[in-house]
Amino acid sequence: MQIDSLNRENQALKVDNDKLRNQNQLAKEHITTLSTQNEELVDKVAIASQLNATGISAMAHNKRGKDTDKIRKAKKFVVSFTLARNVTTETGMRSIYVRIATPTGSILTNGGTFQYENRDLQYSILKEVEYNGEELPVTVYWDIAESLTAGQYRVDIFADGQNIGTTTFEME
């Protein structure tokens, strides 16, 4: 009788054990699903919190400050853009890096570098701005001190390790 009683208890415990194993497996699967969803949401928030440069314009100015498309008359490059409104990004001081590439692909540089995709890139202009989440107009200047060639110039704007905008302009 005692053996039968122990056998019944053992069977009941085996059933409970199997039930708990199944519940544990379901909980592990649920945790894995939630972890995957959490990683996807973290990626989406990271993308949403990136700064974005809009309304990018780049041009050359002559010695009187007037727009020119003649390379021999150009004394200064002017790059203007707006950091778009973004309430999901952190506010505070930001380093904005502007790279100006000549038609031959060389970068107009002052010797400074910044990190982008695990490598050091040279920049033309560094501007520190205080970003508060609202639209922020930014204008930077590059004084032309070297001989440049005619052709298409490329301007890339970087912030927080991301390329936030690109434009090109033509010089004759």
Side-chain angles (χ1 to χ4, degrees):
M1 222 193 249
Q2 192 174 14
I3 291 175
D4 287 341
S5 173
L6 289 173
N7 278 338
R8 279 190 298 263
E9 281 185 49
N10 192 25
Q11 291 300 327
L13 289 173
K14 284 182 180 180
V15 169
D16 287 344
N17 193 10
D18 287 342
K19 204 184 293 184
L20 289 174
R21 278 192 185 131
N22 287 338
Q23 288 175 348
N24 190 21
Q25 183 61 33
L26 289 174
K28 284 181 182 178
E29 290 172 5
H30 186 66
I31 289 170
T32 302
T33 301
L34 289 176
S35 294
T36 303
Q37 289 174 344
N38 188 30
E39 288 173 13
E40 290 171 1
L41 290 174
V42 166
D43 290 343
K44 286 181 182 178
V45 167
I47 290 168
S49 68
Q50 289 178 2
L51 292 179
N52 188 25
T54 60
I56 303 169
S57 72
M59 64 196 82
H61 281 183
N62 62 20
K63 64 183 177 186
R64 293 188 180 141
K66 303 286 184 188
D67 293 352
T68 183
D69 60 357
K70 308 286 187 222
I71 196 68
R72 61 182 162 66
K73 291 184 178 182
K75 298 295 180 198
K76 180 181 297 200
F77 288 134
V78 180
V79 179
S80 298
F81 56 92
T82 300
L83 292 177
R85 182 177 188 274
N86 189 336
V87 295
T88 61
T89 191
E90 289 184 31
T91 60
M93 293 304 292
R94 298 295 174 90
S95 296
I96 307 296
Y97 300 95
V98 178
R99 282 173 49 106
I100 303 172
T102 66
T104 61
S106 63
I107 304 299
L108 301 178
T109 182
N110 61 6
T113 62
F114 67 100
Q115 280 288 122
Y116 177 68
E117 294 183 350
N118 297 322
R119 55 190 175 135
D120 287 334
L121 294 181
Q122 293 180 319
Y123 63 84
S124 305
I125 307 162
L126 165 63
K127 177 139 184 174
E128 297 286 335
V129 298
E130 186 166 352
Y131 185 71
N132 63 6
E134 298 299 322
E135 279 192 0
L136 178 66
V138 178
T139 301
V140 295
Y141 303 91
W142 175 262
D143 291 324
I144 300 171
E146 59 272 332
S147 174
L148 297 176
T149 60
Q152 188 176 63
Y153 286 74
R154 177 183 168 109
V155 176
D156 291 295
I157 304 167
F158 296 85
D160 301 332
Q162 302 292 322
N163 184 333
I164 63 171
T166 300
T167 192
T168 59
F169 64 101
E170 196 75 32
M171 297 297 296
E172 297 176 3

